[in-house]
Amino acid sequence: MAKLSIVAALAAMVALTLTALRLRRARRDFDEEVEAWKLRLDLDLRQARKERNQLLDALAEAFLLIDAETRVIFANRTAREMFQGREILGRSLADAFLDRRLVDALAPCLETGEAVTTRVVLPAQASPLGNQERRGTNAWVVDAARLSESSAEDPTTRVVIRDVTNEHQTEQIRKDFVANASHELRTPLAIINGYLENLLDDGLADDPELTRRFLKVMRRHTERISRIIEDMLVISRLESGEAGALKVKPFRMRSCIQDVLERLESMIRAQQAEIRIEMQDDALSFTGDRFYWTQILFNLVENALKQNPRKGLTVTVGCTRDAEATRIWVTDDGVGIPSADLPHIFRRFYRVEKHHSQEEIKGTGLGLSIVKRAVEAHGGTIEVRSAPGEDTRFTIVVPLEAEAALQTGLDPSEAPLGSAGSS
């Protein structure tokens, strides 16, 4: 009986041992399976994050994720490039952004969770781009909203920052253009209206000599209005399609220069100015819109004469071509352009004050703006340098690739330009 009990006990122990071993093996298999699932989930999560980051990095706008403590916990490639040179991950918005106005734009969303979209206009020194900013005043649209899946206790806010500087500057140019054009047209119209009132209401029409003098003044201002309107139409045509607005044909540059000088002959004679033409090859043929090149040269030569009304001015018009580009220049030995004015002379309606007679009718202030736009429409560049009292030189460079692109009907801005520089 005792032996049976011992055998039974031993059997029970063996059974328990086997059961324990099976349970241990099952637990080990279970743990291994759990670890495998964890590893698989971790890999899936990493892959999902990688794909998410790739998608967000492909965005043209800066994308940020902000935690409840207003710290940056994610920034896509555009955001990292925007804040190049500064580490923003893990930093507060106040530390990441250079200007408080960007932080203030996000404040309502961060505080209340309410979505916000607003535009922020900053001076160059406050741009998110830091010392990379070269455009002056810059504008940004800030779009922020709380992620719906984040908890109220620990919210996450997504922020999208879009650079709208080009649109802002274009809109500002349009507003300035309208305001300046209105002012420029209003002034001669007011003068004409005033003289008409004097003639009609004050009974001055019976004085032939006075009437004739009034009519001469009104005619000059009427011509000024016509010139302003003509110049505005030229700019509008250029900006409506650039190369598409051009009628491209080969023409001789010497003939174009001669046409300009013939149109300005009376002014040249009145000022006893000397005009010199410098060309290595009088038969040099240029491909472009002759109308606009006549406008370019006319405005440059006329500008030199108007800004230097003294007798004996020397104006030089030159053209040459090398293996890289065609170069055209207009120089004069007049009073020059002050260095403070040089960066602005191609702006619309900008005038350099020369203290001319108050009886003179000012130019439209659009001539050099037309010159720059017409040169750029041909794929060229224009630069100016001036030594007051010595000489002023406008230099135009049109790469041969741009000229060739015009011949084939392409946009010259898309031509594979070489290393042609200005002389």
Side-chain angles (χ1 to χ4, degrees), residues 296-348:
I296 290 168
L297 294 173
F298 179 89
N299 283 328
L300 290 176
V301 176
E302 183 192 44
N303 186 69
L305 294 169
K306 281 186 174 181
Q307 297 301 321
N308 300 283
R310 67 172 175 82
K311 305 291 185 183
L313 180 74
T314 299
V315 179
T316 302
V317 183
C319 179
T320 187
R321 173 177 288 158
D322 56 30
E324 296 180 342
T326 300
R327 290 174 171 81
I328 304 157
W329 61 90
V330 175
T331 68
D332 68 73
D333 61 353
V335 295
I337 303 171
S339 58
D341 291 304
L342 283 175
H344 311 292
I345 60 172
F346 293 110
R347 281 170 39 193
R348 295 167 182 171

Side-chain angles (χ1 to χ4, degrees), residues 112-178:
T112 67
E114 179 183 357
V116 297
T117 301
T118 185
R119 175 179 289 201
V120 180
V121 179
L122 301 171
Q125 62 271 23
S127 170
L129 299 178
N131 57 14
Q132 301 175 77
E133 184 62 78
R134 296 289 185 273
R135 300 168 298 176
T137 301
N138 49 98
W140 310 83
V141 169
V142 179
D143 182 356
R146 185 168 292 179
L147 296 182
S148 57
E149 61 269 22
S150 64
S151 65
E153 294 76 20
D154 187 22
T156 300
T157 303
R158 64 109 181 114
V159 177
V160 177
I161 303 176
R162 187 167 72 255
D163 187 350
V164 293
T165 300
N166 290 339
E167 294 92 326
H168 173 77
Q169 292 181 344
T170 300
E171 179 66 14
Q172 196 61 45
I173 289 172
R174 186 191 66 79
K175 290 180 180 179
D176 291 344
F177 182 77
V178 171

Side-chain angles (χ1 to χ4, degrees), residues 18 47 66 80 174 219 421:
L18 292 174
Q47 183 63 27
I66 313 299
R80 296 193 299 272
R174 186 191 66 79
R219 185 176 68 178

Side-chain angles (χ1 to χ4, degrees), residues 268-307:
I268 294 169
R269 188 184 304 112
Q271 292 185 212
Q272 299 176 16
E274 179 184 356
I275 308 297
R276 298 175 180 174
I277 300 176
E278 297 179 349
M279 293 189 68
Q280 294 176 339
D281 180 6
D282 285 348
L284 188 151
S285 179
F286 184 86
T287 300
D289 190 321
R290 178 165 177 158
F291 169 80
Y292 284 115
W293 281 102
T294 302
Q295 290 283 104
I296 290 168
L297 294 173
F298 179 89
N299 283 328
L300 290 176
V301 176
E302 183 192 44
N303 186 69
L305 294 169
K306 281 186 174 181
Q307 297 301 321

Side-chain angles (χ1 to χ4, degrees), residues 208-275:
E209 183 177 348
L210 188 62
T211 299
R212 184 175 180 83
R213 184 162 64 87
F214 280 13
L215 289 175
K216 284 183 177 180
V217 173
M218 286 189 286
R219 185 176 68 178
R220 290 204 305 272
H221 285 281
T222 301
E223 290 172 351
R224 171 171 166 74
I225 292 173
S226 298
R227 179 71 181 272
I228 291 174
I229 292 172
E230 179 183 346
D231 286 351
M232 287 193 296
L233 288 174
V234 170
I235 289 180
S236 176
R237 184 184 170 198
L238 281 169
E239 294 185 344
S240 66
E242 294 291 345
L246 305 180
K247 297 179 180 178
V248 179
K249 291 181 180 179
F251 64 90
R252 288 191 175 183
M253 186 59 71
R254 176 82 187 207
S255 174
C256 183
I257 294 173
Q258 288 297 149
D259 287 349
V260 169
L261 299 183
E262 288 175 8
R263 289 173 58 185
L264 291 168
E265 184 178 1
S266 60
M267 182 181 291
I268 294 169
R269 188 184 304 112
Q271 292 185 212
Q272 299 176 16
E274 179 184 356
I275 308 297

